[in-house]
Amino acid sequence: ITQKMGGCSSQSCHHCFFEYETERMIVVKSKVVGSVFRLIQFLILFYVIGYVCVVQKSYQETDSVVSSVTTKVKGTGFTNTSDLGARVWDVADYNIPPQGESSFFVLTNMIVTPNQTQSTCPEVSCIQTGLCMNYSETVKTCEVLSWCPLEIDINLPEHALLVAAEDFTVLIKNSVTYPKFNFHKRNILPDVNSSYLKQCEFNRKTDPDCPIFRLKDMVSEAEEDFQTMAIRGGVLGIMIDWNCDLDWPEHYCGPKYSFRRLDNKIPENNVAPGYNFRFAKYYKTTDGRETRTLIKAYGIRFDVIVFGTAGKFNMVPTIVNVGAALTFLSLVSSVKWSHLQNTHYL
């Protein structure tokens, strides 16, 4: 064994090919240097084991969730107003449209303009005919061609029309897939039967696996008051979290529900608050004339948002992260060696 003091010359490169070099090891008896060295080693091990392995689970291969959602709303309500009279509301009346893309709408309030026909009436906009009309006893305005009488949308009821909507329920059917792991599951558990679905209702403590939710409970969990939100409407997010560790048995992988209001309700920027849209119901009179009832519908739109990542042990990321940990540990010795040289320990 010889101590090599310089590099290989051009004449002896073939000898260097068959040589093996090692670093010179020196034992330094110093409590300060030894304590710093062990502390750095401990911090690196704590980072790799505690954060990289336990928290980040970097030894796993991951995949993003692929999801589909369908909903079914149930419930009936009763109203008695001057515009509509006494009537019973079922799902065909307040669930508009009946099927949405991962969302559903429940009507809770409205402004009704009945018996509109294609004619002329006083207004300050729309298609003007060039004629003036008496809008009131003191105000004259242009005559317009439109659906008359025109809607007056400033007289919104102070209380929600469909008060009973808070007790309506919705069945959420959610199927998820992790294609990389060929993993499939539903939020309706395999042992659930139809008789259970007819009587269960989601409760975070007593029945967390039930896929049927009471509308008021979801709004309350979002820290909102249902009747207040129902006056002008709004948008509520139903968040379904499918983060799963597939190194554990399948029954540990399940949905976690949370609820949050999504539309803007900041007082400083509250122009056009709530959620509303218009639709009309068309009729024909006995003389063949077309009429319609215009409805400005206020209500709550529920958006079902599914997200999640699944992880499963894989040798490749494990080797990569173990190699990175060993590299960090080897750097400690290099840093210590440089420190010793700079502080003249050698």
Side-chain angles (χ1 to χ4, degrees), residues 13 25 79 84 123 132 178 182 228 247 290 294 301 307:
C13 283
M25 303 298 294
T79 60
L84 301 173
E123 179 55 297
C132 289
Y178 288 107
N182 195 27
T228 302
D247 291 329
E290 186 180 37
L294 178 66
R301 193 185 77 191
F307 60 95

Side-chain angles (χ1 to χ4, degrees), residues 68-72 99 102 171-174:
S68 67
V69 175
T70 59
T71 60
K72 183 183 292 185
Q99 292 294 328
S102 297
L171 167 64
I172 299 177
K173 295 186 287 184
N174 178 210

Side-chain angles (χ1 to χ4, degrees), residues 256-272:
K256 298 178 183 64
Y257 302 99
S258 60
F259 310 94
R260 181 183 305 168
R261 185 165 183 174
L262 302 179
D263 63 311
N264 177 38
K265 50 172 286 187
I266 302 174
E268 294 79 12
N269 184 21
N270 204 24
V271 179

Side-chain angles (χ1 to χ4, degrees), residues 165-176:
E166 65 180 16
D167 292 320
F168 296 167
T169 60
V170 57
L171 167 64
I172 299 177
K173 295 186 287 184
N174 178 210
S175 299
V176 297

Side-chain angles (χ1 to χ4, degrees), residues 51-334:
Y51 181 75
V52 175
C53 294
V54 177
V55 178
Q56 294 294 320
K57 297 182 179 179
S58 299
Y59 57 86
Q60 291 183 330
E61 183 182 18
T62 59
D63 193 15
S64 298
V65 69
V66 178
S67 169
S68 67
V69 175
T70 59
T71 60
K72 183 183 292 185
V73 183
K74 285 187 177 182
T76 57
F78 176 80
T79 60
N80 191 356
T81 65
S82 58
D83 293 329
L84 301 173
R87 64 175 295 174
V88 175
W89 296 75
D90 63 16
V91 66
D93 298 315
Y94 59 75
N95 187 205
I96 309 163
Q99 292 294 328
E101 185 177 349
S102 297
S103 67
F104 61 95
F105 173 82
V106 175
L107 184 147
T108 56
N109 209 359
M110 66 174 68
I111 296 175
V112 181
T113 309
N115 302 320
Q116 285 188 319
T117 59
Q118 289 277 339
S119 58
T120 59
C121 48
E123 179 55 297
V124 294
S125 60
C126 299
I127 304 174
Q128 299 180 358
T129 64
L131 301 177
C132 289
M133 295 186 69
N134 290 326
Y135 185 78
S136 65
E137 293 182 357
T138 58
V139 178
K140 280 193 173 184
T141 184
C142 294
E143 181 186 67
V144 296
L145 176 64
S146 182
W147 285 96
C148 299
L150 295 173
E151 176 190 63
I152 302 175
D153 63 352
I154 59 175
N155 298 324
L156 180 67
E158 294 182 358
H159 302 284
L161 173 69
L162 204 56
V163 177
E166 65 180 16
D167 292 320
F168 296 167
T169 60
V170 57
L171 167 64
I172 299 177
K173 295 186 287 184
N174 178 210
S175 299
V176 297
T177 301
Y178 288 107
K180 188 180 291 186
F181 306 122
N182 195 27
F183 180 87
H184 310 273
K185 199 167 184 180
R186 302 173 68 201
N187 67 326
I188 302 178
L189 301 179
D191 57 345
V192 168
N193 53 41
S194 57
S195 60
Y196 168 76
L197 287 179
K198 289 179 181 179
Q199 54 85 29
C200 83
E201 189 173 292
F202 176 83
N203 184 287
R204 200 169 293 281
K205 294 181 179 179
T206 61
D207 203 350
D209 296 324
C210 179
I212 298 177
F213 301 83
R214 185 168 171 251
L215 301 191
K216 181 180 179 180
D217 293 340
M218 292 191 291
V219 174
S220 297
E221 284 212 22
E223 299 181 350
E224 299 287 341
D225 178 70
F226 187 92
Q227 294 302 332
T228 302
M229 191 175 180
I231 297 174
R232 291 190 172 274
V235 182
L236 191 86
I238 303 173
M239 330 294 272
I240 307 181
D241 180 359
W242 281 93
N243 282 315
C244 295
D245 186 348
L246 299 184
D247 291 329
W248 293 88
E250 180 181 330
H251 67 269
Y252 286 104
C253 178
K256 298 178 183 64
Y257 302 99
S258 60
F259 310 94
R260 181 183 305 168
R261 185 165 183 174
L262 302 179
D263 63 311
N264 177 38
K265 50 172 286 187
I266 302 174
E268 294 79 12
N269 184 21
N270 204 24
V271 179
Y275 182 79
N276 65 79
F277 60 90
R278 292 174 175 85
F279 68 97
K281 294 184 178 181
Y282 295 86
Y283 312 92
K284 279 198 173 183
T285 61
T286 54
D287 59 355
R289 191 178 185 185
E290 186 180 37
T291 65
R292 77 176 190 182
T293 297
L294 178 66
I295 299 173
K296 185 176 183 180
Y298 295 81
I300 303 175
R301 193 185 77 191
F302 295 85
D303 292 345
V304 184
I305 303 171
V306 182
F307 60 95
T309 302
K312 196 171 186 179
F313 175 80
N314 187 278
M315 187 59 69
V316 173
T318 302
I319 293 175
V320 170
N321 284 282
V322 170
L326 294 175
T327 302
F328 286 145
L329 289 173
S330 66
L331 288 175
V332 176
S333 299
S334 301

